[in-house]
Amino acid sequence: MDHRNHSSVTEFILSGLTELPELQLPLFLLFLGIYGVTVVGNVGMIFLITFSSNLHAPIYFFLSNLSAIDLFYSSVITPKLMENFVWEQNVISYPGYMTQLFFFCFFATAECYMLTAVAYDRYVAICSPLLYNVTMSPKVCSVLVTGVYIMASIGAVPYTISMIMLFFCEDNVIHHYFCDILPLLKLSCSITYINELLVVLVGGFNVLATIMAIIISYAFILCNILQIPSAEGKSKAFSTCGSHLTAVGVSYGSIIFMYFKPSSSSNMAQEKVAFVFYTTVIPMLNL
């Protein structure tokens, strides 16, 4: 392999969502509105939880961290997306691409593990309510959140390093609107087997480990709820989990569709819609 290929590409061009001129302004305004709601909503949530003494329970500590993840996650992706509708060519430098890729992987992984932490909190609250304050002490909550960010780092670093080690030829047009792994692999002159294996192994582990923990937590929760004699008690218990279950279903459904479907069923238009939903709409819906 000619190592000069690596230096021949110093920047990439993101093709964006669409090249139709009549859609540029409406889409720009749409995503500007979504991003505005995401920023205001998540910042407001963080401030409300931080400064309200009534919201210092463990669940709100996790939700404030989830809001911070959604805020930064959206800020990594959406501004660059909106540039596609303003500039004729949306150019990003090689270091800029790798930086956005790292933070995309970091916050996507962190969200999965934070949703798992919330599931564990709900399990303790419903199945062991008398021991809730002891089990979910501030120290335990801090350890759980620290573990979330450690696992996010462990998930993001291998992807980024393996991508940096690739070599690229003359083609620098990324058929996507942000810096993702799979579109960049298609441009590489290197053998990408290790990178593709990392997507399956590391990504598969993070998804499987977190979703199994969530399923186990809710299996215990369901068994406990079914033992509640009154319908009102069951309804109240279910209501505390409804929004979290919705977030889990939407997030993991999008991830599986984007990364773990057969390559024979790949459709770029459908993939872009799924990515838009996952990277811009979900951070707003988690409010």
Side-chain angles (χ1 to χ4, degrees):
M1 178 61 64
D2 185 357
H3 285 205
R4 290 174 297 175
N5 286 337
H6 178 71
S7 61
S8 66
V9 175
T10 59
E11 62 184 23
F12 297 101
I13 299 173
L14 299 172
S15 65
L17 283 177
T18 179
E19 296 179 355
L20 298 175
E22 62 271 19
L23 294 179
Q24 303 296 318
L25 181 59
L27 287 176
F28 175 80
L29 295 176
L30 173 64
F31 288 110
L32 180 63
I34 291 174
Y35 184 58
V37 171
T38 301
V39 171
V40 172
N42 283 295
V43 170
M45 180 77 75
I46 293 169
F47 273 94
L48 182 63
I49 292 172
T50 301
F51 295 107
S52 176
S53 58
N54 296 327
L55 300 177
H56 286 176
I59 182 61
Y60 295 111
F61 176 66
F62 293 126
L63 291 179
S64 65
N65 276 273
L66 186 60
S67 291
I69 290 170
D70 287 333
L71 173 63
F72 289 116
Y73 183 40
S74 181
S75 297
V76 166
I77 303 297
T78 310
K80 198 64 183 174
L81 165 63
M82 291 191 293
E83 286 185 28
N84 287 302
F85 308 122
V86 177
W87 308 115
E88 185 175 346
Q89 281 191 339
N90 190 3
V91 178
I92 185 169
S93 66
Y94 180 88
Y97 192 106
M98 295 304 167
T99 301
Q100 190 187 57
L101 175 65
F102 170 81
F103 284 112
F104 165 67
C105 295
F106 178 87
F107 289 117
T109 306
E111 181 156 21
C112 290
Y113 282 96
M114 194 62 71
L115 288 172
T116 306
V118 174
Y120 177 69
D121 176 89
R122 294 297 82 203
Y123 157 73
V124 176
I126 293 175
C127 298
S128 303
L130 298 179
L131 298 176
Y132 180 71
N133 290 329
V134 176
T135 305
M136 302 303 295
S137 65
K139 182 178 180 180
V140 171
C141 293
S142 298
V143 169
L144 286 173
V145 169
T146 301
V148 166
Y149 295 122
I150 290 174
M151 293 303 298
S153 299
I154 293 173
V157 169
Y159 287 138
T160 309
I161 292 177
S162 66
M163 298 301 286
I164 291 174
M165 294 175 66
L166 294 178
F167 298 95
F168 300 95
C169 301
E170 298 299 325
D171 189 6
N172 68 338
V173 178
I174 306 287
H175 297 288
H176 216 323
Y177 65 88
F178 77 102
C179 307
D180 193 19
I181 298 170
L182 299 182
L184 187 60
L185 292 181
K186 296 178 182 178
L187 300 186
S188 176
C189 302
S190 307
I191 297 174
T192 59
Y193 173 76
I194 297 298
N195 303 79
E196 294 169 0
L197 191 63
L198 275 174
V199 171
V200 175
L201 293 181
V202 178
F205 172 80
N206 288 328
V207 171
L208 188 61
T210 54
I211 196 63
M212 287 304 298
I214 292 171
I215 289 173
I216 292 171
S217 296
Y218 274 102
F220 282 108
I221 289 172
L222 181 61
C223 291
N224 189 274
I225 290 176
L226 292 177
Q227 295 176 6
I228 298 175
S230 67
E232 183 181 353
K234 291 179 180 178
S235 177
K236 184 178 179 180
F238 274 121
S239 66
T240 64
C241 304
S243 59
H244 177 250
L245 280 173
T246 301
V248 168
V250 172
S251 296
Y252 282 91
S254 300
I255 291 172
I256 292 170
F257 178 82
M258 292 184 297
Y259 291 105
F260 297 101
K261 68 180 185 302
S263 57
S264 58
S265 63
S266 178
N267 182 291
M268 181 55 67
Q270 292 179 353
E271 288 180 4
K272 284 186 177 181
V273 171
F275 273 104
V276 165
F277 191 75
Y278 182 68
T279 57
T280 62
V281 179
I282 288 180
M284 178 182 66
L285 294 180
N286 282 343
L287 296 173

